[in-house]
Amino acid sequence: MKKSLFGVRGGRPGPKAATALVLAASMVLLTFTCAAGGGDVPDEEAGLPAAALVDSSIPCESAILIEQTTGQIFFEKNADQRMAPASITKVMTLLLVMEALDSGKIKLTDMVTCSPHANSMGGTQIWFEVGEQMTVDELLRATAIASANDAAVALGEFIAGSEESFVQLMNQRAAELGMTNTTFKNATGLDAEGHLTTARDIAVMSAELLRHPDITKYTTIWMDSLRDGKTQLVNTNKLVRFYEGTTGLKTGTTSDAGYCLSASATRNGLSLIAVVLGAKNSDNRFGSARGLLEFGFANYAAQPVPEPDPPLSPVKVLGGVRQEVPVEGRPPEVMILEKGAGKELKQTVEIASEVSAPVEAGQKVGTVRLMREGVLVCEYDVVAADSVEKMTLFSAFDILWRETVRMG
């Protein structure tokens, strides 16, 4: 077994070893090893394996390819098969961290103290010593780039008080996202009985994580360091270095899970997420992910949603202080079509002929649908652009008085 950069339990490498590792990191990809319970292993060879054929023969147990912003599915294989996810689990860990940051509960500059429990994690780690302190930013880098288990647990403890409480939050958030086939038992992805999810559920939580644009400041870093350069971080996802447009996201490898990957990439406005579970080796993992992404980019395109034609007209208001209300469409940022299909779209607009006051701004009054050969490709709401109060005796008198003043 090769020695991991983050080492075998027992202490941080000495100065000579650290210097050697720094020099080696500038020349080759550093090799990680995993304890029997899990971790991630970056590949040593340069480049990527050939893209796998995207059909039932794709070399993994389970896979799915979706568009990131709409959730549109382009390919799936056993996507609802419950499997161990290894360190892809950390997608949920990172999501809860990003949500805590966005809500102001924690800050990137907050100092986190390592507990004995965080220090005890096996697999890939940064040798976070009991009592040692690092910032949330540093631990985010260790988790997102190098998949450090001790860093992930320390973040969970900082947010929820204990890993157990944090796992409860993970499962609660999974339920809110509709991840009905997912049960988390820890914050790391180390193999544990009942710690299971599916490719479909992973795609859902991956898309949710990517709604936080700052996460890609971490997931797209190839190499970094901690402790003033003494601890090197190398991304476990080789797509970050070798695949154009990669935005992340997370690898995973354990004896139960095999080789896994949630890979995200954006090209020409099209954002894809490819999830691969249960590959037998690393080449199969990256070859499958590459094949899925290239299939998506080759066959689909993101296009702007056309304006309604003819333009949307105001809707009549019954019993309001105004007789009509302007309306507006709420289209998605883009629509996803097979390449070359944009000119074949047919639009239908359904809008209420009248609404009763009171009318709230943003209230749905209709729907726009775009169809291609009878198949729905895009649908969005038409809503009231303003509020209209209900007419009362007082408001009627006020309107009458203002009209009298205006005319007089």
Side-chain angles (χ1 to χ4, degrees), residues 380-402:
Y380 62 89
D381 292 342
V382 177
V383 302
D386 293 325
S387 296
V388 179
E389 296 179 4
K390 186 175 183 179
M391 181 73 76
T392 63
L393 182 61
F394 177 80
S395 59
F397 178 79
D398 183 60
I399 292 171
L400 178 61
W401 172 254
R402 282 189 279 109

Side-chain angles (χ1 to χ4, degrees), residues 49-349:
L53 188 64
V54 179
D55 60 18
S56 60
S57 69
I58 190 168
C60 58
E61 288 294 319
S62 174
I64 194 168
L65 175 67
I66 72 165
E67 198 281 322
Q68 176 184 316
T69 58
T70 65
Q72 187 172 339
I73 299 170
F74 301 137
F75 174 83
E76 58 181 283
K77 173 185 176 180
N78 301 327
D80 295 312
Q81 180 176 329
R82 300 188 77 205
M83 300 181 65
S87 284
I88 294 181
T89 297
K90 295 186 180 83
V91 170
M92 180 59 77
T93 302
L94 292 169
L95 173 59
L96 292 182
V97 172
M98 297 308 296
E99 290 178 343
L101 286 166
D102 287 350
S103 70
K105 181 177 181 179
I106 64 174
K107 301 187 297 293
L108 288 172
T109 54
D110 286 344
M111 300 301 297
V112 180
T113 303
C114 184
S115 70
H117 178 63
N119 171 263
S120 71
M121 291 298 107
T124 307
Q125 56 192 286
I126 53 169
W127 284 315
F128 199 18
E129 301 293 346
V130 176
E132 183 182 6
Q133 290 189 320
M134 287 190 179
T135 64
V136 169
D137 175 75
E138 289 173 318
L139 294 174
L140 258 176
R141 284 188 279 138
T143 303
I145 301 169
S147 196
N149 293 323
D150 45 4
V153 170
L155 286 169
E157 291 176 333
F158 187 64
I159 290 172
S162 68
E163 185 182 14
E164 182 179 2
S165 295
F166 186 73
V167 170
Q168 291 178 358
L169 295 180
M170 293 171 68
N171 286 314
Q172 178 182 324
R173 193 70 180 97
E176 292 169 353
L177 292 172
M179 297 167 58
T180 56
N181 288 314
T182 295
T183 302
F184 295 116
K185 298 293 186 179
N186 56 55
T188 61
L190 292 166
D191 288 336
E193 185 176 356
H195 186 93
L196 300 169
T197 186
T198 66
R200 193 185 311 279
D201 283 358
I202 289 170
V204 168
M205 70 175 179
S206 297
E208 189 67 21
L209 176 58
L210 288 164
R211 293 181 187 276
H212 300 267
D214 284 349
I215 192 60
T216 59
K217 296 178 182 178
Y218 298 89
T219 57
T220 57
I221 296 172
W222 175 240
M223 296 183 70
D224 203 347
S225 64
L226 301 172
R227 300 184 177 107
D228 296 323
K230 295 177 182 177
T231 300
Q232 297 296 303
L233 305 176
V234 179
N235 204 312
T236 58
N237 179 8
K238 67 189 299 180
L239 293 175
V240 168
R241 183 176 184 185
F242 297 110
Y243 193 78
E244 178 188 354
T246 295
T247 57
L249 196 58
K250 194 70 200 71
T251 59
T253 309
T254 67
S255 55
D256 285 354
Y259 291 79
C260 308
L261 175 63
S262 178
S264 58
T266 298
R267 292 182 182 176
N268 300 318
L270 179 63
S271 297
L272 302 176
I273 296 172
V275 179
V276 173
L277 299 180
K280 291 183 178 179
N281 55 55
S282 194
D283 274 358
N284 286 352
R285 164 173 60 183
F286 286 111
S288 295
R290 180 180 179 181
L292 289 166
L293 292 172
E294 292 189 357
F295 172 83
F297 289 130
N299 290 283
Y300 297 91
Q303 298 188 20
V305 180
E307 294 288 334
D309 185 21
L312 301 173
S313 300
V315 171
K316 181 179 180 180
V317 178
L318 301 178
V321 297
R322 286 188 288 157
Q323 294 182 345
E324 61 182 25
V325 62
V327 300
E328 60 186 10
R330 293 252 177 109
E333 294 181 10
V334 295
M335 60 181 178
I336 311 303
L337 296 170
E338 291 183 47
K339 288 188 173 179
K343 296 181 180 179
E344 304 171 16
L345 296 178
K346 293 184 178 180
Q347 176 187 273
T348 61
V349 180

